[in-house]
């Protein structure tokens, strides 16, 4: 058996095409385009590459963006000052602070400083609470992108067993909530899970977000299962790789997302969608 590869690059390209048209309509209606502000602190190459991707995507869909590049030595207070300025700026709809931040800066404090209405990452406690309460909220980009991949591929989680490997606030927990909302029966595995293989073998839908290259092997997957690989890392040859051992899992899974070209492109695309959502919410709140 050989898995159907879910082409996140192609799916995200078609989402972005639709957004381009939508932004033209929004500009005609509201007199300006949505605007995303991205703050990057320091010169971490991976963060810089992610940020470049986000700014490029914004340009592609035709929205405005602002890039605020700050030195790694910036104080927490100064960074909070930049966020306060962007919060107050009527021309900015979405604010994203690229993580991780240097150790002397408290990330929680920074996330909490962004007004929930401009919180395009959906990390603010108010948005997290609203998501779990089933109220209107900004949904974090990676989990939202995973749900869109499933939807676009015609996979309905209703009644299925979904296993998520990883319980982080940015991927594992929110994707568990979204799958629960889609009526899946959800199991979350983590480093204290006694027998990971026993758990993953139950999954109809398996989301792997552990940050451990090649953790999931083919014999841990139920034949025909849908496998979503969230992990991004570099293998021993320096190539991008996911948490799934692609070679063996593609033999047992029914559907599989590749790395690169699976979840990653959808994350950026959902950031664009969240910015449009913030823009519309703000325009309608005025
Ligand atoms: P994280 O905060 O490090 O969390 C990893 C989670 O995986 C933790 O809950 C950890 O359990 C669990 N875990 C680690 N090793 C495990 C193992 N051997 N067995 C079972 N559970 C294990 O990571 P994250 O931020 O969620 O990111 C996960 C991966 O996704 C990373 O590779 C990251 O780069 C990638 N990522 C990709 C995108 C994208 O757009 N494609 C977006 C975000 C993240 P404990 O809680 O017990 O420690």
């Amino acid at each position: 058996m050989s898995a159907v590869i879910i082409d996140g690059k192609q799916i995200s390209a078609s989402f972005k095409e639709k957004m381009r048209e939508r932004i033209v309509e929004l500009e005609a209606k509201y007199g300006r385009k949505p605007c995303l502000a991205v703050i990057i602190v320091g010169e971490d190459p991976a963060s810089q590459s992610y940020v470049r991707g986000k700014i490029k995507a914004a340009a592609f869909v035709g929205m405005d963006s602002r890039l605020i590049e700050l030195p790694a030595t910036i104080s927490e207070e100064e960074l909070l000052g930049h966020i306060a300025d962007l919060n107050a700026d009527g021309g900015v709809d979405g604010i994203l602070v690229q993580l991780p931040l240097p150790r002397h800066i408290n990330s929680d404090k920074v996330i909490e400083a962004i007004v929930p209405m401009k919180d395009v990452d959906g990390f603010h406690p108010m948005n997290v609470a609203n998501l779990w309460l089933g109220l209107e909220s900004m949904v974090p980009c990676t989990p939202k992108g995973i749900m869109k991949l499933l939807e676009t591929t015609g996979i309905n989680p209703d009644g299925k067993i979904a296993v998520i490997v990883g319980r982080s606030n940015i991927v594992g927990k929110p994707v568990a909530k979204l799958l629960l909302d889609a009526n899946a029966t959800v199991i979350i595995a983590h480093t204290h899970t006694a027998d990971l293989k026993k758990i993953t073998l139950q999954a109809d839908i398996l989301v792997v977000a552990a940050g451990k290259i090649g953790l999931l092997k083919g014999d841990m997957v139920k034949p025909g299962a849908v496998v979503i690989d969230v992990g991004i890392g570099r293998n021993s040859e320096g190539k991008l790789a996911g948490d799934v051992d692609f070679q063996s899992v593609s033999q047992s899974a029914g559907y599989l997302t590749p790395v690169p070209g699976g979840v990653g492109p959808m994350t950026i695309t959902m950031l664009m969608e969240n910015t449009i959502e913030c823009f519309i919410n703000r325009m309608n709140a005025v």
Side-chain angles (χ1 to χ4, degrees), residues 58-231:
F60 181 84
V61 298
M63 71 172 60
D64 288 330
S65 66
R66 293 193 205 165
L67 176 59
I68 297 118
E69 294 173 284
L70 304 170
T73 51
I74 193 167
S75 70
E76 187 178 280
E77 200 183 342
E78 278 176 283
L79 175 57
L80 294 174
H82 283 279
I83 293 170
D85 290 345
L86 294 171
N87 282 340
D89 190 329
V92 170
D93 303 294
I95 304 169
L96 178 149
V97 178
Q98 185 64 41
L99 301 174
L101 290 168
R103 256 186 270 156
H104 67 277
I105 297 175
N106 180 336
S107 305
D108 290 339
K109 218 165 154 183
V110 169
I111 290 166
E112 283 170 35
I114 299 169
V115 279
M117 236 190 166
K118 296 187 180 186
D119 170 35
V120 278
D121 260 337
F123 294 164
H124 190 284
M126 181 83 88
N127 279 317
V128 176
N130 284 344
L131 178 70
W132 283 89
L133 291 169
L135 302 174
E136 202 177 305
S137 67
M138 270 301 126
V139 177
C141 303
T142 302
K144 189 170 178 170
I146 292 169
M147 297 308 287
K148 296 276 185 196
L149 281 179
L150 294 176
E151 196 184 310
T152 312
T153 314
I155 297 156
N156 183 357
D158 197 326
K160 307 250 166 59
I161 295 181
V163 172
I164 296 130
V165 185
R167 55 176 165 181
S168 72
N169 289 332
I170 62 166
V171 188
K173 284 182 203 155
V175 83
K177 175 62 168 81
L178 296 179
L179 284 161
L180 191 60
D181 288 347
N183 294 322
T185 299
V186 176
I187 301 170
I188 307 178
H190 43 76
T191 54
H192 291 244
T193 298
D195 185 346
L196 185 61
K197 182 174 167 180
K198 189 174 163 198
I199 301 294
T200 58
L201 274 170
Q202 296 179 51
D204 301 307
I205 298 173
L206 185 48
V207 179
V208 194
K212 295 279 175 298
I213 292 176
L215 172 72
L216 191 87
K217 308 276 190 265
D219 66 352
M220 298 167 79
V221 176
K222 179 161 101 176
V226 178
V227 179
I228 305 290
D229 188 356
V230 185

Side-chain angles (χ1 to χ4, degrees), residues 217-278:
K217 308 276 190 265
D219 66 352
M220 298 167 79
V221 176
K222 179 161 101 176
V226 178
V227 179
I228 305 290
D229 188 356
V230 185
I232 311 177
R234 299 236 170 229
N235 64 18
S236 51
E237 294 156 24
K239 287 192 181 151
L240 281 182
D243 289 349
V244 169
D245 177 43
F246 190 88
Q247 212 58 19
S248 62
V249 172
S250 63
Q251 296 308 306
S252 48
Y255 292 86
L256 175 60
T257 60
V259 176
V263 173
M266 287 303 282
T267 296
I268 295 189
T269 301
M270 291 306 112
L271 174 65
M272 302 301 119
E273 186 152 307
N274 279 357
T275 308
I276 294 173
E277 215 173 298
C278 285

